[in-house]
Amino acid sequence: MDRTNVPRRLLRVVGRLAACVASLSLICAAPAFADQLEQHNDLVNKFITEMHADPLVADCAAHGNFVASTSTAFDHVEFPPSSFDSAHSSVTPWNDSFDEGKQRVKVDSIVTVEGIGVRQNGSDDPADLKFRCGYVGPQMLAFSWNDPVPPNRAHSGSSGKHKGKGKHATGGKTTKKSSKGSSGKSSRATSSKSATKKKAR
């Protein structure tokens, strides 16, 4: 009886410990998220009150600043007052999908804003960054920017970028040609194999 109760007690203790660890991780994550949200809201308020930015443009710029700061290339983004003029930002009514890729979500407005990306090492020249945000009402549903280090293509180098451009430019014709070429090669290979078998006989 005692032997069967010991494993059960251990399982209960382990289960309680796991629950405590899970709740602690949630407690630790909550303040970090709250800090990010507070920083975002402070930045939005600053852009609106000090630089007279449109609220959606201000929100897009604040989100762009956060995303760029997570990049390996940039420390932060600077938005001078000119970022919020009509030459460097816009709110365009839109009743279509945000893009033709993974973010094919339908939005009712597209916001663009430009900023200056300050590099992490500080020695390189700053980069001109362009942020594009898709909204339904005040809610952002999609986001893109001209990240010089795309997260999924960083390891593939420039060839990965050219592949992406090629698909858009040619509408996938390059893939069809390459598949025809490869099928031709395989048929030639099989015919040459059968010819060698006949000779062997």
Side-chain angles (χ1 to χ4, degrees):
M1 298 275 298
D2 288 338
R3 285 179 184 174
T4 54
N5 286 339
V6 170
R8 287 179 185 169
R9 287 177 188 166
L10 279 172
L11 284 172
R12 283 181 194 155
V13 170
V14 169
R16 287 177 186 161
L17 282 172
C20 289
V21 168
S23 60
L24 280 172
S25 64
L26 286 173
I27 290 166
C28 293
F33 177 74
D35 286 347
Q36 285 175 5
L37 191 61
E38 191 177 338
Q39 287 171 4
H40 176 90
N41 291 339
D42 288 346
L43 209 51
V44 169
N45 289 333
K46 178 187 173 186
F47 293 152
I48 293 171
T49 55
E50 294 179 20
M51 302 184 186
H52 311 291
D54 178 277
L56 288 182
V57 175
D59 185 68
C60 184
H63 186 73
N65 180 65
F66 168 73
V67 173
S69 69
T70 64
S71 167
T72 54
F74 300 106
D75 179 63
H76 67 283
V77 183
E78 290 180 358
F79 292 95
S82 61
S83 288
F84 302 104
D85 63 24
S86 58
H88 300 97
S89 68
S90 65
V91 178
T92 308
W94 200 262
N95 190 23
D96 205 346
S97 55
F98 180 73
D99 64 21
E100 294 303 314
K102 290 180 180 177
Q103 299 187 83
R104 210 171 286 179
V105 61
K106 194 172 182 180
V107 295
D108 60 27
S109 62
I110 285 188
V111 175
T112 58
V113 62
E114 296 177 18
I116 300 162
V118 179
R119 309 268 183 187
Q120 286 191 351
N121 54 17
S123 60
D124 292 342
D125 291 334
D128 292 328
L129 299 180
K130 295 180 181 181
F131 304 101
R132 186 171 179 260
C133 306
Y135 288 86
V136 171
Q139 186 178 7
M140 185 192 299
L141 295 184
F143 174 83
S144 67
W145 66 302
N146 59 332
D147 185 1
V149 188
N152 295 332
R153 299 180 189 169
H155 61 278
S156 63
S158 59
S159 61
K161 290 180 185 174
H162 291 305
K163 283 179 187 172
K165 286 180 183 173
K167 282 181 187 173
H168 291 292
T170 60
K173 289 179 185 174
T174 51
T175 7
K176 289 179 184 174
K177 285 179 184 174
S178 62
S179 63
K180 283 180 185 174
S182 61
S183 63
K185 284 178 187 174
S186 61
S187 61
R188 281 187 218 122
T190 51
S191 62
S192 63
K193 281 179 186 175
S194 60
T196 51
K197 282 179 183 176
K198 286 176 185 175
K199 284 179 186 176
R201 286 175 189 170

